[in-house]
């Protein structure tokens, strides 16, 4: 529960090292930033891990962000996609789903 609203956003994604960051980014996009599941899944993402100490950012993130992080001493690389993600959200009257457009697939609901 989050206040008086139950959070419900099951996700399907491959078990890879980016799993937790990807899941957190999509969850924050949906619940904190108010994006629809399709918007939250489609939003540009980044990935950082302890080793190697490199921040990988998807193309589409503003170049100014990339330059600022490099200026601050971070090693930043561009990547084409930070993983694939599918999601569905429970609302009062429907189940809107979202398939990641970074790869083939689609969402169907009822």
């Amino acid at each position: 529960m989050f206040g008086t609203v139950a959070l419900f956003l099951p996700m399907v994604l491959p078990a890879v090292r980016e799993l937790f960051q990807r899941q957190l980014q999509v969850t924050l996009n949906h619940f904190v930033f108010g994006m629809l599941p399709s918007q939250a899944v489609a939003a540009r993402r980044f990935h950082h891990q302890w080793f190697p100490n490199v921040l990988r950012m998807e193309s589409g993130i503003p170049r100014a962000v990339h330059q600022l992080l490099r200026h601050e001493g971070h090693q930043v690389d561009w990547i084409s996609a930070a993983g694939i993600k599918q999601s569905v959200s429970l609302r009062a009257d429907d189940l809107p789903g979202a398939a990641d457009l970074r790869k083939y697939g689609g969402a169907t609901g009822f």
Side-chain angles (χ1 to χ4, degrees), residues 84 86 99-106:
I84 307 302
Q86 284 76 27
D100 204 326
L101 299 177
R102 291 167 179 82
K103 195 166 182 163
Y104 58 88

Side-chain angles (χ1 to χ4, degrees), residues 85-108:
K85 175 102 186 50
Q86 284 76 27
S87 186
V88 64
S89 178
L90 175 63
R91 297 195 305 207
D93 56 351
D94 65 351
L95 292 166
D100 204 326
L101 299 177
R102 291 167 179 82
K103 195 166 182 163
Y104 58 88
T108 59

Side-chain angles (χ1 to χ4, degrees), residues 63-74:
R63 185 163 290 284
V65 173
H66 184 270
Q67 292 170 341
L68 177 64
L69 289 167
R70 288 184 74 94
H71 178 74
E72 293 294 324
H74 298 281

Side-chain angles (χ1 to χ4, degrees), residues 35-101:
M35 294 181 185
L36 296 171
S38 57
Q39 295 169 320
V41 167
R44 296 292 162 213
R45 296 191 287 263
F46 60 90
H47 172 70
H48 183 273
Q49 60 191 37
W50 177 72
F51 186 80
N53 188 12
V54 177
L55 176 65
R56 293 178 172 95
M57 297 174 26
E58 286 186 344
S59 57
I61 293 177
R63 185 163 290 284
V65 173
H66 184 270
Q67 292 170 341
L68 177 64
L69 289 167
R70 288 184 74 94
H71 178 74
E72 293 294 324
H74 298 281
Q75 183 176 346
V76 185
D77 290 339
W78 291 108
I79 56 175
S80 59
I84 307 302
K85 175 102 186 50
Q86 284 76 27
S87 186
V88 64
S89 178
L90 175 63
R91 297 195 305 207
D93 56 351
D94 65 351
L95 292 166
D100 204 326
L101 299 177

Side-chain angles (χ1 to χ4, degrees), residues 1-2 5-11 27 30-31 37 87-92 94-96 110:
M1 295 291 285
F2 186 73
V5 178
L7 300 180
F8 184 77
L9 186 70
M11 298 178 226
T27 300
H30 182 64
F31 290 112
S87 186
V88 64
S89 178
L90 175 63
R91 297 195 305 207
D94 65 351
L95 292 166
F110 54 91

